[in-house]
Amino acid sequence: KAGVTQTPRYLIKTRGQQVTLSCSPISGHRSVSWYQQTPGQGLQFLFEYFSETQRNKGNFPGRFSGRQFSNSRSEMNVSTLELGDSALYLCASSLASEETQYFGPGTRLLVL
Amino acid sequence: AQSVTQPDIHITVSEGASLELRCNYSYGATPYLFWYVQSPGQGLQLLLKYFSGDTLVQGIKGFEAEFKRSQSSFNLRKPSVHWSDAAEYFCAVGRIDSGGSNYKLTFGKGTLLTVNP
């Protein structure tokens, strides 16, 4: 089976712009979770989607949003980018919410 | 506050030496427990997991971990480290939140492993 894929792998944006990241889960997985990884804060949970519904949300501002499509692919969007949004954004998929999560390679976002 | 603690930020071992990475958690019930490894610029790869049953868990790449309920610990071990094991290791805890409906995976801050030749 193919693993979790994320596109793009690298992205450079400027402050105030918005960005959309994409995640394709492992075939058959219906849950997709997003994480932000920074050197200072480590891995922080953003949100989880299951069957096109947001099941859980971390402590991030409303500028961070996401959605899931009927084929379980997910996107996350960050609007009005700030310098502090520079991070590695990781997507993980699992069969269901409480199942083991498998991670993609991440999207490295740099905000200038 | 509920948390996952990896006390060692950075560990250096010689190739061929044994390794133990520590992980402690502070949750009331026994959660699901995981170890992941991350190479530079990469995503997280699952090494092993514990849900229930035998408290000694075998994983990939020769790693094992032992769950000790009395110590709220889930330490990762390897008897002989290889240079390719140099990476960052993350302990993670999965549990239902206090509201009783949402499952969440919480990570420790990670331990960076350096392997000397």
Side-chain angles (χ1 to χ4, degrees), chain A residues 6 11 13 19-20 34 40 44-45 72 83 87-89 99 106 111:
Chain A
Q6 292 186 245
L11 208 47
K13 292 286 187 179
V19 67
T20 299
W34 289 89
Q44 294 186 285
F45 171 74
S72 294
L83 296 179
L88 180 67
Y89 290 89
E99 299 289 336
V111 182

Side-chain angles (χ1 to χ4, degrees), chain A residues 23-30 32 52 68-74:
Chain A
C23 171
S24 292
I26 293 170
S27 178
H29 285 194
R30 297 171 65 190
V32 173
E52 302 179 66
Q68 187 179 35
F69 303 94
S70 59
N71 61 358
S72 294
R73 189 177 70 84
S74 177

Side-chain angles (χ1 to χ4, degrees), chain A residues 1 4 10-11 14 18 47 49 57 77 99 102:
Chain A
K1 267 188 187 178
V4 178
Y10 303 93
L11 208 47
T14 56
Q18 73 163 11
F47 29 65
Y49 286 87
K57 190 176 189 305
N77 184 78
E99 299 289 336
Y102 296 90

Side-chain angles (χ1 to χ4, degrees), chain B residues 46-90:
Chain B
L46 179 69
L47 284 175
L48 46 75
K49 60 188 177 184
Y50 173 80
F51 284 5
S52 65
D54 192 347
T55 57
L56 186 61
V57 180
Q58 301 297 320
I60 62 171
K61 304 185 179 187
F63 285 92
E64 67 176 27
E66 185 172 13
F67 168 58
K68 292 186 176 180
R69 185 189 310 273
S70 61
Q71 298 176 20
S72 296
S73 69
F74 188 57
N75 293 349
L76 182 71
R77 300 194 295 247
K78 186 169 185 177
S80 177
V81 171
H82 188 263
W83 64 267
S84 61
D85 293 324
E88 191 159 19
Y89 292 78
F90 293 91

Side-chain angles (χ1 to χ4, degrees), chain A residues 11-99:
Chain A
L11 208 47
I12 300 176
K13 292 286 187 179
T14 56
R15 278 183 299 172
Q17 287 187 310
Q18 73 163 11
V19 67
T20 299
L21 312 181
S22 181
C23 171
S24 292
I26 293 170
S27 178
H29 285 194
R30 297 171 65 190
S31 172
V32 173
S33 298
W34 289 89
Y35 297 85
Q36 181 195 65
Q37 185 178 26
T38 59
Q41 298 299 316
L43 279 149
Q44 294 186 285
F45 171 74
L46 280 158
F47 29 65
E48 184 223 346
Y49 286 87
F50 180 81
S51 293
E52 302 179 66
T53 301
Q54 187 179 88
R55 291 282 303 270
N56 201 359
K57 190 176 189 305
N59 295 323
F60 278 83
R63 300 185 296 108
F64 291 82
S65 63
R67 59 177 174 168
Q68 187 179 35
F69 303 94
S70 59
N71 61 358
S72 294
R73 189 177 70 84
S74 177
E75 289 181 347
M76 68 163 280
N77 184 78
V78 188
S79 63
T80 318
L81 283 166
E82 301 177 0
L83 296 179
D85 297 333
S86 295
L88 180 67
Y89 290 89
L90 292 163
C91 160
S93 77
S94 56
L95 285 167
S97 293
E98 293 181 42
E99 299 289 336

